Amino acid sequence: MEEYSDTRTATSQVQDTYYGLPAVRAPHWRWLVIFYFFFGGVAGATYTIGAVAEAVSADRRVVRAARYLAAAAFLPCPPLLILDLGRPERALNMFRILKLKSPMSLGSWALFFAGGFATLGAGLQLAEDLLKRDLLPGPRRLVMLAGVPFSIFLSGYTGILLAATNIPLWWRSFPFLSPTFVGSAYSASLCAITLFLGLDREETRDTGRRLARAESICLAAELTFLTTALVRLGAIGRPLRTGKIGLIFWPVTYVGGILVPLLLQLSGPARGKEVTGPRRTAAAMLPLIGSLSLRAVMIFAGRESANRPEDYFAMTSRAAER
Amino acid sequence: MPGLGTRLGRGGATTAENDLANSDCVIIMGSNMAENHPICFRFVMKARERGAKVIHIDPRFSRTSALADSYVRIRPGSDIAFLGGLINYVIQHERYFKEYVAAYTNAATLINAEFQDTEDLDGLFSGFNRDRNRYDHDSWQYQGQPTAPSPPMHQQFSSMSYTQRVGNMEGQWPPPSDPTMTDPNCVFQIVKRHFARYTPEKVEEICGVSREQFLEVAEAISENSGRERTTAWCYAVGWTQHTKGPQIIGACALLQLLMGNIGRPGGGILALRGHASIQGSTDIPTLFDILPGYLSQPNTFDEHQTLEQYIETETPKTGYWNNLPKYIISLLKAYYGDRATAENGYCYDLLPKISSDYSTFPMFLSAKEGLVRGMFVMGQNPAVGGMNTGYMREALAGLDWLVVRDLFEIETATFWRDSPEVKSGKLTPSGIKTEVFLMPAAIVAEKDGTFTNTQRLLQWHDRTVEPPGDATTEPWFLHHLHRRLSDLYAAEVTPQARQLQALDWQYPVEGPKDEPVVTSILKEINGYTVADRVQLKGFDACKDDGSTACGCWIYSGVYPEEGKNLARSRVSDDSYSPGWGFAWPANRRILYNRASADPEGKPWSERKKLIWWDESDHKWTGLDVPDFPVSKAPDTPAKPDGKGMDALSGTDPFIMMGDGKGWLFVPAGLRDGPLPTHYEAMESPAANALYGRQANPLARYWPRRQNRLAKHGDPSFPYAVTTYRLTEHHTAGGMSRWVPWLAELQPTFFAEISPRLANRIGANNGDWVVISTPRSEIEARALVTERMQPTRLNGKAVETVGLPYHWGYAGIVKGDAANDLVSLVGDPNVSIEEAKAFTCNVRKGRLRYESSEL
Amino acid sequence: MTITEDVPHTSKGFFTDTSVCIGCKACEVACKQWNQLPMDDLVWMGSSYDNTHHLSSTTWRHVSFAELPGAGGAGGQTNWLMMSDVCKHCQHAGCLEACPTGAIIRTEFDTVVVQQDVCNGCNYCVPACPYGVIEVNMTASTGDGKAHKCTLCYDRLKDGLEPACAKACPTDSIQFGDIGDLQERAQQRVEDLRQKGLDAYIYGTEDMGGGQGIGNLGAQFLLLDKPQRYNLPEHPTLPQNRTLPGVLVMTVTALALSLATAWSLRKG
Ligand SMILES: Nc1nc2c(c(=O)[nH]1)N[C@H]1C(S)=C(S)[C@@H](COP(=O)(O)OP(=O)(O)OC[C@H]3O[C@@H](n4cnc5c(=O)[nH]c(N)nc54)[C@H](O)[C@@H]3O)O[C@H]1N2
Ligand SMILES: Nc1nc2c(c(=O)[nH]1)N[C@H]1C(S)=C(S)[C@@H](COP(=O)(O)OP(=O)(O)OC[C@H]3O[C@@H](n4cnc5c(=O)[nH]c(N)nc54)[C@H](O)[C@@H]3O)O[C@H]1N2
Ligand code: SF4
Ligand code: SF4
Ligand code: SF4
Ligand code: SF4
Ligand code: SF4
Ligand SMILES: [Mo]
């Protein structure tokens, strides 16, 4: 009998997967969720930074900016979330129960309370601005501190939410995904405060410097977590690193969103000079874009990852080290 | 099917599917049982769990093959060579069941010395009449019997009389025989000689089955037959749809008789039927040449002019069919009621007589040629399921009117609008004169009635919902058609009008649509006494004096008394479940079960006991209803001049046959020879390796320009092709392509081809390919799979293309109809088509690019 | 979770024995019919006889066909794998744990059921299922934006009927019953098949298919080849195992960065 060469058949495509069909399913999440992840993270981080600033009696303007910004960042969150639901009219069902093992349940409640505190904070600030005096300085500080646990949760739970799924890329990024998100939320939030206060203004120069220092620390942390995650991901990180998503991830998220602003911030002290002008502007804006893009590429890469049964099987094989 | 009928006595499956669980070896050949008979297959799985060996012999590796212990790939159309090889093997190696063969078959009977075999005449038997292309059967007869009247010309298209079919035993009784089975003229020696050249080597050469695989099957059936063990065979249309279909089945019957597997638990031949009640539609036939209960339809050629002549011609002297007068007269009483009297021959003269060929293909050809003017198509989709369907659709366009009763707007109803012929401009809607009436039919759940399934089992089904809208049942349609026609003809005095006026048609009606009460029909089928309308207990109660009426004698007993519908009964047990439904005849589940006991009446073995002679009670008893006179002792001798059952002895299990024996050799009843002989299909990639005759010499063929055949060896059509079903669809698609849940499972017409063939034509899995025969060209997606492999003949690989034939140009999912490719040819006995083996070409590409996206 | 008094309170489940599956898809169709699920998109994939591809919000039973090299040869069933897949009704179900609304419940039969009247379509159960079972139907035409999957015929169980798919299965490949009984039967069956030389094993135990927080599966399968060839993971985890550690790591990180920020912003 003649030999046949490599003709594609109904048979030969089967290797160690089932015709290459996905073994797990991705959620349908897209931009609504990405923006929610971004604003929620920023809202949580900003609130926390505001409370921290108040506690360490930093520049009042920082506190004021954080209060307004936290509320502003929170504001779009509920509509974004609700719009994304398959049945938006049932959004309130999120609050039927609390599930300690469900990041989404925890997150919903966190958002509820954090949002409440953020609104309260902004309300207070508005009252103070209008009345032009401090209101209840003692209890106020305590009340604002009470919102911190929720805000901390809000700043990073979305990373847990992703990691606590079976999408290989998200799962494999554990436990670094949530810290990366936290780092990126903090840096973005510091940038937002910086931009709110205005760059290079005489009266805020010192605060600006301090904010920049904090931003550098957060960016450095984010970079470390993300790089560790990438290393850990190995082959499973391909959907993130390569293809169209890779074309966004490397220039926009990794280099443009983290590395460049970090280097810009560090370039001043390195030269013993202050970072000013366009460099300063860039360093204060890039992390915001980076932070948004980080969430976008993670979501999209996760969707792609779900379509790679070989990745899922590699992770769930008995041999896989966990 | 004459394949079983001519050797065993009845055409139905000899066994019941639940008995397969008792088999030690199940061979499935000519059927894709798991896919097409999944419920029956359950019992094969059961047998397998109990340790039975399951073997599937098929050109394709299907879902059945996957579940079998062994799969044997065979070239389409070569089954007789394979079965002949087995017959030869068990005879040469003396693996047949000697006591059984000696006692219960005609192995010892002597055949006329003039008989000449295909071995002597290069593929022909003696008696071949070259001018008329048919056989004279004289030389095939038993010695000492009058020569059967040679079948006259007409017998191409009507059934043979029972005197011919079961043996005309008017001469020396019992017929001369040689109990040592060594006489060169005895059946056993003739069979032995006939199959001597069917060696494993020849099997390999013809079927493409390796010696090892062949021997594995041969050993499996040998080891699993005999006193202690039994082997069952299952077949369906993979065997029937050949120009030698009945002979393939006959070869299996011959083999099973040799192995002693008929009439015994776990043995037998399970003919797997098609549509839910296709068995029922031959019992109470939709065929043109038989009457209910397998009585011959009178014809104008035989001595059939009067009832006396009919009875004289049809009634054999010996065997059970000697009772035939009771059944025909009871049938006429059921048809014509009080109008049927002894004086007027029970209105026998009103029965239409066959004067020409009314089988399907000639009917369509006549439509094309303008002879047939109108047609009712009820529960059929010939535009897709017929043969050479392009031609058939053109034939439909030759009709004046066409009534289609169906569940959906099937292709047969839309051929004038959507067919490929219309798309190609060959037909134009405005040029078609046919007036098409599409009438919605009620589906099974919407009507009362019975199914008669594979195992001859009648099961009642209730109407669970009313038919929606205008949909009506078949009984409704026929009842009211009759009523309206009767009104139209009420005053007319013509023979046609008399046909209508004479009918005793008095079914009560019920419900808002005036539905006839279906139980009243079943009660008539069961039969009743004319005088006081008491239901008959069974066919034993039928009389030939006009005192009983019976619509179908073999069904008698299904409604044995008022209010007792046994088809409705649902009592099951772990054994033969006699309380579940009603199996004809007389609720016997395993036919010829007298053979489950040895000649003395004791079971052949404890393991395989079924019925036995109970000395103390002086009757046959056991797990099944005896298919034998209950009080006829095993030692009862045949009465030398006895008639009917008296002529048979207590050791003659095949009571329908004239001599009570299972026939290894068929002296009469088959047009194309007393023994199965390997011929190639009408279109075949191979030359006949055994005889000079390429194909069945008596095969029927209708020469038409659009019905050309490819010559064997034609390089334009180098591949074998076979057609078949998928479990996801049903036949011509009316019941599946319109059902979303089924349509989504197999949305696209595809051709299964081997990787080697795909490579040769440069096609990848999923590519479009064009398949062509001299009749037509169609397109399909290629499913390139290792499940398809070429078979090797004489060192040359022959590719087989596999085509599921379910698609057409209407429905939720559409595709080309595989039957556009098939030719109009027929086997000589039942005119069945050859859809299972023909030749084709395949090339990569498409015919039309605008058709379905899938 | 509601427990009706009059219903016996036992764990129900499936044992699907792929060694007797004939790939007839009766289960798939019976499920669609009983649950009145719509037809999926018509796609012909050329992957053997499987054109519905996977479990989805509209296909709750799915019969897979894996043609392996050598299909068509002597190996029979081990070269052409057929398997009827279904929701596993996990002892600890990822979908249930993930669901923030409590739409997914454990019933009195110990099965996992989605209450569509509670579900808000958040999609979180979808990636939380380790077997890719549950899906939110977002199809424009037929989609209701809610999560759907096998209910283990909750409505039929309530009425004392066996699930439609099991009822339809001609070869008893799908067996329904008390989980304890089924597990015994499954073990017996594996031993029988091993004696016949087949490499059979049970999928859905702590050691294979389940475990790692998931526990045993309420729907177990007898498989004849690597689980991956049936599109099943060998040893998945309950994703919510990562929630608590995740929260800890996150909190530590956030606290650290807050401290760093405080240190940067502190007065003086
Ligand atoms: N799901 C489903 N079930 C059905 C039907 C259906 O359409 N769908 N149809 C019903 C009807 S009407 C019928 S008649 C039965 C038919 O039941 P089957 O006879 O089982 O039907 P087919 O699939 O046509 O053919 C059976 C097998 O014959 C093989 N074959 C082809 N040529 C040859 C040959 O020359 N020799 C041998 N040995 N085998 C050959 C084919 O490869 C195929 O696997 O099924 C009934 N059941
Ligand atoms: N190539 C090839 N061709 C074949 C075969 C093959 O193996 N290969 N097999 C042949 C065989 S065995 C068969 S049986 C034929 C089948 O061929 P057909 O009988 O022509 O095809 P079906 O699709 O079964 O047609 C039955 C129709 O009856 C309708 N129907 C269902 N229930 C009812 C009812 O209660 N009342 C009415 N009035 N209509 C109803 C259905 O909708 C359907 O359209 O095909 C034959 N053709
Ligand atoms: S006849 Fe009916 S029950 Fe039997 S296998 Fe076919 S569809 Fe199923
Ligand atoms: S298999 Fe998936 S959908 Fe089913 S219970 Fe388990 S986690 Fe839920
Ligand atoms: S989609 Fe519905 S069932 Fe799934 S997690 Fe969200 S609310 Fe629960
Ligand atoms: S148990 Fe019911 S819902 Fe689940 S797959 Fe079977 S039929 Fe469908
Ligand atoms: S019904 Fe049974 S045999 Fe058929 S595919 Fe489903 S599990 Fe397999
Ligand atoms: Mo059929």
Side-chain angles (χ1 to χ4, degrees):
Chain A
M1 220 171 276
E2 308 159 30
E3 276 302 315
Y4 54 83
S5 58
D6 185 35
T7 304
R8 218 163 56 94
T9 71
T11 310
S12 68
Q13 299 163 33
V14 189
Q15 290 303 327
D16 284 335
T17 69
Y18 181 68
Y19 293 96
L21 289 166
V24 285
R25 275 183 184 283
H28 71 240
W29 303 331
R30 291 172 149 273
W31 286 106
L32 290 170
V33 165
I34 291 165
F35 274 103
Y36 162 69
F37 275 24
F38 172 70
F39 283 119
V42 170
T46 312
Y47 183 94
T48 312
I49 291 168
V52 163
E54 184 155 26
V56 298
S57 305
D59 187 345
R60 284 294 308 154
R61 284 168 299 192
V62 173
V63 179
R64 178 171 173 274
R67 284 185 180 162
Y68 280 137
L69 282 174
F74 164 74
L75 217 59
C77 291
L80 283 171
L81 263 188
I82 291 169
L83 282 178
D84 184 68
L85 294 176
R87 301 295 293 226
E89 71 277 16
R90 300 222 175 110
L92 286 180
N93 283 0
M94 290 287 192
F95 304 109
R96 284 175 79 238
I97 51 168
L98 168 68
K99 272 200 179 151
L100 292 177
K101 283 175 93 180
S102 167
M104 188 177 278
S105 176
L106 295 174
S108 305
W109 286 105
L111 177 69
F112 178 80
F113 286 111
F117 280 107
T119 319
L120 186 69
L124 272 175
Q125 190 58 54
L126 189 65
E128 286 179 3
D129 286 354
L130 290 175
L131 300 175
K132 298 213 172 11
R133 65 182 173 88
D134 270 10
L135 291 172
L136 308 167
R140 186 191 67 198
R141 198 166 291 184
L142 281 180
V143 171
M144 292 324 296
L145 270 179
V148 165
F150 303 108
S151 301
I152 284 187
F153 202 89
L154 187 61
S155 69
Y157 89 94
T158 50
I160 311 170
L161 185 141
L162 295 186
T165 67
N166 295 293
I167 308 299
L169 185 107
W170 296 343
W171 168 7
R172 185 75 182 169
S173 310
F174 179 82
F176 302 103
L177 188 56
S178 161
T180 310
F181 275 20
V182 171
S184 120
Y186 271 70
S187 49
S189 155
L190 289 164
C191 290
I193 295 172
T194 309
L195 291 173
F196 187 89
L197 295 182
L199 291 162
D200 298 328
R201 269 200 263 143
E202 199 47 48
E203 62 272 30
T204 56
R205 180 147 293 162
D206 175 56
T207 305
R209 240 192 331 266
R210 287 166 185 277
L211 285 170
R213 186 161 62 199
E215 185 191 328
S216 305
I217 296 171
C218 293
L219 282 174
E222 183 188 355
L223 184 70
T224 316
F225 294 134
L226 183 57
T227 310
T228 323
L230 280 175
V231 171
R232 183 173 153 76
L233 276 170
I236 288 163
R238 256 172 310 198
L240 184 65
R241 294 196 317 256
T242 59
K244 270 193 205 151
I245 297 173
L247 285 182
I248 308 281
F249 173 70
W250 289 118
V252 181
T253 313
Y254 196 85
V255 178
I258 307 173
L259 210 54
V260 169
L262 180 61
L263 290 177
L264 286 175
Q265 296 289 22
L266 294 182
S267 65
R271 289 178 297 151
K273 280 209 265 167
E274 196 126 344
V275 185
T276 49
R279 287 178 175 229
R280 177 86 184 97
T281 318
M285 290 184 62
L286 285 176
L288 280 167
I289 297 166
S291 182
L292 178 65
S293 76
L294 172 70
R295 283 153 180 82
V297 291
M298 268 298 168
I299 296 274
F300 285 114
R303 292 166 58 93
E304 184 122 353
S305 172
N307 293 331
R308 298 172 60 90
E310 60 277 21
D311 287 355
Y312 184 57
F313 292 151
M315 290 194 63
T316 51
S317 87
R318 203 172 287 277
E321 45 104 29
R322 250 165 264 111
Chain B
M1 268 273 138
L4 296 177
T6 51
R7 282 191 159 76
L8 309 174
R10 305 181 185 98
T14 73
T15 182
E17 53 259 60
N18 46 341
D19 185 49
L20 289 176
N22 300 319
S23 294
D24 302 299
C25 178
V26 181
I27 308 213
I28 303 160
M29 186 170 180
S31 170
N32 182 2
M33 191 173 180
E35 300 202 32
N36 296 327
H37 304 87
I39 303 290
C40 298
F41 196 72
R42 167 192 183 93
F43 299 102
V44 178
M45 300 299 294
K46 238 186 203 167
R48 195 173 160 218
E49 294 307 299
R50 294 182 187 173
K53 189 173 171 87
V54 177
I55 301 176
H56 187 219
I57 309 172
D58 200 288
R60 295 182 311 123
F61 187 96
S62 67
R63 281 171 261 207
T64 308
S65 326
L67 272 291
D69 294 301
S70 296
Y71 164 68
V72 178
R73 190 180 300 281
I74 189 174
R75 178 173 64 90
S78 65
D79 295 71
I80 290 183
F82 191 88
L83 292 164
L86 292 176
I87 292 168
N88 185 40
Y89 180 91
V90 300
I91 292 180
Q92 298 297 340
H93 296 83
E94 305 208 12
R95 303 297 290 272
Y96 59 98
F97 192 169
K98 294 191 192 69
E99 295 96 321
Y100 184 105
V101 169
Y104 298 151
T105 74
N106 67 356
T109 312
L110 300 179
I111 301 298
N112 282 340
E114 308 90 79
F115 173 74
Q116 282 180 291
D117 187 61
T118 45
E119 287 300 286
D120 313 316
L121 301 174
D122 198 21
L124 289 172
F125 293 97
S126 50
F128 188 66
N129 182 330
R130 259 164 231 282
D131 302 334
R132 313 178 81 176
N133 211 53
R134 63 185 175 86
Y135 283 110
D136 295 332
H137 297 189
D138 305 16
S139 62
W140 308 355
Q141 301 302 306
Y142 285 2
Q143 286 185 18
Q145 306 304 327
T147 45
S150 272
M153 194 53 206
H154 77 268
Q155 287 210 331
Q156 283 215 324
F157 35 79
S158 73
S159 59
M160 287 188 199
S161 73
Y162 275 100
T163 37
Q164 288 164 355
R165 268 195 266 172
V166 306
N168 196 17
M169 308 291 170
E170 309 243 322
Q172 191 180 342
W173 189 255
S177 66
D178 169 25
T180 65
M181 300 197 287
T182 50
D183 187 308
N185 291 326
C186 85
V187 162
F188 187 77
Q189 292 300 327
I190 291 174
V191 170
K192 186 172 173 178
R193 286 197 302 273
H194 178 80
F195 289 108
R197 277 202 301 140
Y198 290 66
T199 58
E201 293 70 28
K202 274 284 172 219
V203 170
E204 177 156 8
E205 187 184 331
I206 297 169
C207 310
V209 176
S210 73
R211 233 184 103 87
E212 296 69 46
Q213 276 209 308
F214 170 77
L215 291 176
E216 186 196 335
V217 178
E219 270 309 306
I221 62 163
S222 301
E223 277 162 18
N224 292 299
S225 303
R227 278 178 186 269
E228 294 287 340
R229 303 177 79 77
T230 49
T231 296
W233 287 73
C234 307
Y235 77 87
V237 298
W239 268 2
T240 56
Q241 290 170 357
H242 295 276
T243 45
K244 49 189 183 276
Q247 294 282 10
I248 303 179
I249 298 152
C252 181
L254 201 171
L255 178 64
Q256 282 293 67
L257 282 171
L258 280 175
M259 302 313 287
N261 282 325
I262 301 287
R264 302 181 57 211
I269 301 175
L270 189 64
L272 296 160
R273 296 291 174 210
H275 287 86
S277 197
I278 206 79
Q279 177 69 48
S281 76
T282 47
D283 300 339
I284 297 182
T286 51
L287 303 169
F288 74 101
D289 61 345
I290 45 176
L291 293 168
Y294 300 94
L295 302 167
S296 306
Q297 178 83 34
N299 61 59
T300 54
F301 308 97
D302 273 313
E303 292 290 308
H304 275 171
Q305 292 314 304
T306 64
L307 181 61
E308 292 76 56
Q309 280 181 358
Y310 176 87
I311 287 176
E312 172 65 26
T313 312
E314 288 289 317
T315 313
K317 184 179 160 210
T318 59
Y320 197 86
W321 274 114
N322 187 254
N323 291 308
L324 183 141
K326 302 173 185 168
Y327 306 139
I328 182 73
I329 291 172
S330 297
L331 175 66
L332 290 168
K333 283 300 286 181
Y335 278 172
Y336 301 112
D338 291 343
R339 289 190 194 86
T341 63
E343 292 68 44
N344 65 9
Y346 301 102
C347 296
Y348 170 84
D349 62 317
L350 287 175
L351 286 183
K353 314 223 165 19
I354 299 170
S355 60
S356 179
D357 190 345
Y358 303 139
S359 62
T360 311
F361 299 157
M363 187 166 75
F364 274 86
L365 296 175
S366 307
K368 173 115 172 75
E369 282 140 26
L371 239 86
V372 169
R373 311 285 289 278
M375 195 182 280
F376 289 97
V377 174
M378 310 205 284
Q380 209 187 336
N381 191 4
V384 175
M387 297 297 126
N388 200 342
T389 28
Y391 195 51
M392 290 233 165
R393 291 187 294 262
E394 285 183 44
L396 290 175
L399 295 166
D400 291 347
W401 56 266
L402 170 68
V403 175
V404 179
R405 276 179 52 82
D406 209 282
L407 318 176
F408 300 102
E409 193 176 6
I410 53 170
E411 287 84 352
T412 303
T414 60
F415 76 94
W416 57 272
R417 189 182 72 204
D418 296 335
S419 66
E421 291 68 37
V422 171
K423 296 227 166 92
S424 72
K426 205 167 178 192
L427 295 175
T428 48
S430 55
I432 297 173
K433 62 175 183 220
T434 323
E435 191 169 356
V436 180
F437 303 88
L438 176 64
M439 302 193 168
I443 202 167
V444 54
E446 294 158 359
K447 53 192 178 193
D448 291 333
T450 60
F451 283 127
T452 309
N453 285 350
T454 278
Q455 72 278 40
R456 315 172 314 280
L457 187 73
L458 279 84
Q459 295 182 96
W460 182 268
H461 58 84
D462 284 318
R463 167 176 16 186
T464 51
V465 282
E466 287 296 327
D470 289 339
T472 55
T473 69
E474 268 61 47
W476 181 93
F477 181 77
L478 293 170
H479 180 78
H480 292 283
L481 184 65
H482 166 265
R483 186 176 52 75
R484 292 190 192 187
L485 285 174
S486 295
D487 290 351
L488 288 173
Y489 283 86
E492 202 171 301
V493 194
T494 57
Q496 299 94 302
R498 241 193 94 216
Q499 298 266 1
L500 282 165
Q501 290 155 0
L503 284 175
D504 181 37
W505 193 296
Q506 308 177 19
Y507 305 108
V509 294
E510 63 184 0
K513 288 182 184 167
D514 281 349
E515 281 280 350
V517 178
V518 182
T519 43
S520 70
I521 302 174
L522 188 64
K523 281 162 72 176
E524 182 186 36
I525 286 170
N526 174 87
Y528 52 84
T529 58
V530 171
D532 42 10
R533 283 242 165 199
V534 175
Q535 291 296 109
L536 301 182
K537 293 264 176 278
F539 47 76
D540 287 346
C542 286
K543 297 270 173 5
D544 58 5
D545 58 5
S547 63
T548 58
C550 178
C552 178
W553 72 276
I554 56 174
Y555 280 15
S556 194
V558 64
Y559 212 113
E561 54 193 70
E562 197 50 58
K564 190 167 176 184
N565 177 356
L566 289 180
R568 222 166 183 287
S569 149
R570 292 289 180 276
V571 187
S572 65
D573 58 42
D574 290 338
S575 182
Y576 288 88
S577 297
W580 186 286
F582 174 86
W584 74 259
N587 209 21
R588 298 166 195 166
R589 305 289 160 140
I590 308 284
L591 296 183
Y592 324 113
N593 54 24
R594 163 66 183 89
S596 70
D598 64 13
E600 282 79 57
K602 292 193 282 293
W604 289 106
S605 65
E606 182 58 24
R607 213 175 153 247
K608 294 288 165 179
K609 67 174 184 205
L610 182 58
I611 68 157
W612 52 89
W613 177 253
D614 186 335
E615 268 312 333
S616 47
D617 277 4
H618 204 77
K619 64 171 199 185
W620 289 95
T621 179
L623 311 172
D624 193 8
V625 180
D627 186 16
F628 201 66
V630 192
S631 52
K632 184 173 197 163
D635 54 5
T636 316
K639 280 200 191 140
D641 20 72
K643 277 177 128 195
M645 289 304 286
D646 286 347
L648 305 186
S649 76
T651 56
D652 288 331
F654 296 92
I655 55 173
M656 307 308 287
M657 308 304 279
D659 58 354
K661 308 280 188 222
W663 284 4
L664 304 179
F665 179 96
V666 179
L670 287 170
R671 298 193 173 97
D672 49 352
L675 288 170
T677 305
H678 168 69
Y679 300 115
E680 287 295 332
M682 295 295 273
E683 284 186 329
S684 166
N688 191 337
L690 279 169
Y691 313 101
R693 283 276 165 176
Q694 170 72 3
N696 189 340
L698 267 65
R700 312 188 62 192
Y701 170 59
W702 291 268
R704 298 287 189 282
R705 198 177 46 78
Q706 272 170 275
N707 193 35
R708 277 166 306 187
L709 297 178
K711 287 224 170 50
H712 119 72
D714 185 341
S716 312
F717 303 101
Y719 309 120
V721 49
T722 190
T723 62
Y724 47 86
R725 294 154 172 76
L726 298 168
T727 206
E728 293 85 351
H729 279 297
H730 200 273
T731 48
M735 286 173 279
S736 58
R737 275 185 291 112
W738 275 264
V739 180
W741 298 318
L742 297 174
E744 67 174 340
L745 298 177
Q746 291 288 8
T748 301
F749 176 41
F750 58 87
E752 291 186 301
I753 58 175
S754 75
R756 180 180 168 278
L757 176 55
N759 193 49
R760 168 174 294 182
I761 63 170
N764 275 338
N765 190 39
D767 286 348
W768 286 95
V769 289
V770 172
I771 308 111
S772 54
T773 68
R775 277 78 61 190
S776 188
E777 282 194 322
I778 56 171
E779 61 175 18
R781 300 285 290 273
L783 186 67
V784 182
T785 165
E786 290 190 16
R787 294 183 291 99
M788 298 299 287
Q789 294 291 336
T791 44
R792 205 216 289 248
L793 306 182
N794 292 325
K796 218 182 98 205
V798 173
E799 290 287 350
T800 301
V801 177
L803 299 176
Y805 81 97
H806 301 293
W807 284 269
Y809 43 85
I812 297 175
V813 291
K814 303 181 179 67
D816 282 359
N819 279 325
D820 289 7
L821 299 177
V822 185
S823 65
L824 294 174
V825 293
D827 112 283
N829 291 294
V830 292
S831 294
I832 196 160
E833 68 268 12
E834 193 150 62
K836 287 290 181 264
F838 51 106
T839 56
C840 74
N841 196 11
V842 191
R843 64 171 195 269
K844 188 180 163 180
R846 294 203 68 174
L847 285 177
R848 317 172 269 282
Y849 289 89
E850 78 281 12
S851 63
S852 93
E853 273 304 294
L854 291 169
Chain C
M1 144 167 143
T2 49
I3 296 186
T4 355
E5 246 98 52
D6 50 320
V7 177
H9 181 60
T10 50
S11 303
K12 299 287 185 196
F14 284 127
F15 165 46
T16 305
D17 179 355
T18 68
S19 74
V20 293
C21 175
I22 56 175
C24 68
K25 307 186 194 173
C27 47
E28 196 171 322
V29 176
C31 177
K32 285 221 168 184
Q33 184 178 32
W34 178 259
N35 295 298
Q36 290 293 305
L37 300 174
M39 175 176 84
D40 296 345
D41 291 343
L42 298 171
V43 194
W44 186 80
M45 284 245 315
S47 41
S48 200
Y49 283 171
D50 180 7
N51 294 309
T52 43
H53 312 140
H54 28 53
L55 294 168
S56 71
S57 58
T58 51
T59 300
W60 301 350
R61 265 272 173 198
H62 168 246
V63 184
S64 66
F65 290 76
E67 260 183 66
L68 307 178
Q77 215 177 1
T78 48
N79 290 334
W80 197 14
L81 307 169
M82 295 159 204
M83 181 250 197
S84 176
D85 199 4
V86 70
C87 166
K88 318 295 178 290
H89 295 276
C90 313
Q91 194 175 358
H92 304 286
C95 63
L96 188 153
E97 302 289 351
C99 177
T101 62
I104 306 184
I105 56 159
R106 188 164 296 281
T107 69
E108 65 271 36
F109 305 106
D110 221 358
T111 57
V112 179
V113 169
V114 190
Q115 307 172 102
Q116 272 78 30
D117 52 344
V118 178
C119 171
N120 66 14
C122 72
N123 260 260
Y124 195 40
C125 51
V126 175
C129 170
Y131 312 95
V133 171
I134 197 167
E135 191 196 26
V136 174
N137 192 342
M138 306 291 282
T139 331
S141 52
T142 52
D144 58 0
K146 299 174 193 168
H148 297 270
K149 68 168 194 74
C150 160
T151 67
L152 217 134
C153 278
Y154 184 66
D155 47 353
R156 291 175 63 99
L157 297 200
K158 276 280 203 195
D159 287 344
L161 297 171
E162 76 177 303
C165 53
K167 179 92 187 160
C169 177
T171 60
D172 293 337
S173 172
I174 302 176
Q175 299 174 28
F176 164 80
D178 289 342
I179 288 190
D181 296 351
L182 291 177
Q183 284 177 352
E184 263 170 50
R185 249 189 270 173
Q187 216 40 59
Q188 186 56 49
R189 180 74 188 149
V190 164
E191 273 157 38
D192 289 354
L193 288 175
R194 287 208 174 141
Q195 250 158 32
K196 288 190 188 169
L198 277 171
D199 220 355
Y201 66 93
I202 299 298
Y203 181 92
T205 62
E206 291 270 355
D207 305 328
M208 173 52 97
Q212 309 215 71
I214 300 171
N216 284 312
L217 303 187
Q220 300 197 333
F221 303 82
L222 183 148
L223 302 183
L224 301 169
D225 203 331
K226 296 196 273 195
Q228 291 86 341
R229 295 200 154 150
Y230 301 92
N231 213 8
L232 290 173
E234 200 171 272
H235 218 41
T237 61
L238 185 69
Q240 289 80 20
N241 285 352
R242 294 185 279 280
T243 306
L244 184 61
V247 172
L248 291 179
V249 174
M250 176 195 72
T251 312
V252 170
T253 315
L255 285 177
L257 292 187
S258 302
L259 283 179
T261 310
W263 170 76
S264 301
L265 295 181
R266 78 197 180 281
K267 265 210 187 107

